[in-house]
Amino acid sequence: KPKHEDGTLEGRYATALFMASGGKLDKVYADMAGLREMMEASPHFKMMVETPGIDPESKVKALEAVCKKAGTEAAVVNFLKVLVENKRIAKLCRIVDLFEVFYRAEKGLVPCRVTSAAPLSSAQQSQVQKAMEQRAGKGATLIMDYATNPAMLGGLVVKMGEAVFDNSVATRLERLQTQLLVPLS
């Protein structure tokens, strides 16, 4: 059972695949991520997957052909057949996203997005990474992602897992403005 839970319909399907993957979790994850990449790269493939009007048998044949060519794990192919059979294949993208969350939780991988007003130098990036690794705790591996947003004016906003650390100048100014606008009693 995954360490992270999601009670939505998509979450239940992702949990079922996670539990069915057994000792082949890395391969199943790679195959699921590959399917997501194919959907992002090919609008025709995405349309075939998400369009409910396409005959289920044709859909299964197309998915089997794509999976055979890609060398996809049998558990994933069977999972896709179940999704088509149950008319849930249109939810594949969301299921893949949730499966990725389960996979990362199982492997101790924590996404960490750092947003700054200007690009950070490599020295600054390593400083931020060290600080976040200390905060993440033992056994966690951070997946660092850096972005810029000039509207922040300065400082950093770090989203690590579900936690957000907002130390941007824009937020500080907003808090100060709120305090100044509070009427005196």
Side-chain angles (χ1 to χ4, degrees), residues 84-131:
V84 171
E85 213 174 275
N86 295 343
K87 297 178 175 56
R88 303 285 192 235
I89 193 71
K91 299 186 179 299
L92 183 61
C93 275
R94 179 74 182 128
I95 292 169
V96 173
D97 290 344
L98 289 169
F99 187 84
E100 183 173 42
V101 169
F102 298 164
Y103 176 80
R104 286 180 173 177
E106 185 69 23
K107 298 291 182 177
L109 304 172
V110 181
C112 186
R113 183 172 184 83
V114 179
T115 307
S116 57
L120 298 176
S121 68
S122 55
Q124 290 169 323
Q125 286 181 1
S126 66
Q127 246 183 334
V128 170
Q129 185 168 353
K130 282 178 189 166

Side-chain angles (χ1 to χ4, degrees), residues 7 10 15-16 21 36 41 46 63 66-67 75 101 103 109 118 127 148:
E10 296 90 343
T15 300
S21 62
R36 180 175 49 205
K46 183 177 172 123
L63 287 167
V66 167
C67 289
V101 169
Y103 176 80
L109 304 172
Q127 246 183 334
T148 57

Side-chain angles (χ1 to χ4, degrees), residues 5-84:
E5 288 191 31
D6 187 297
T8 63
L9 177 70
E10 296 90 343
R12 291 195 302 268
Y13 276 98
T15 300
L17 178 62
F18 185 89
M19 292 172 72
S21 62
K24 299 179 178 179
L25 185 61
D26 292 327
K27 172 72 171 121
V28 170
Y29 169 69
D31 291 344
M32 293 300 283
L35 282 168
R36 180 175 49 205
E37 288 169 18
M38 283 186 243
M39 288 177 70
E40 290 169 356
S42 170
H44 296 296
F45 182 67
K46 183 177 172 123
M47 190 185 325
M48 185 275 298
V49 168
E50 293 181 347
T51 303
I54 297 173
D55 175 50
E57 286 180 31
S58 304
K59 223 177 240 199
V60 167
K61 284 180 185 172
L63 287 167
E64 282 177 331
V66 167
C67 289
K68 185 177 180 184
K69 194 168 188 171
T72 304
E73 183 65 36
V76 174
V77 177
N78 290 336
F79 179 71
L80 294 173
K81 288 178 185 175
V82 169
L83 289 178
V84 171

Side-chain angles (χ1 to χ4, degrees), residues 112-113 115 132 135 156-161 163-168:
C112 186
R113 183 172 184 83
T115 307
M132 290 296 103
R135 217 171 206 357
L156 296 174
V157 174
V158 180
K159 185 176 189 300
M160 184 171 68
V164 177
F165 307 99
D166 189 343
N167 197 18
S168 65

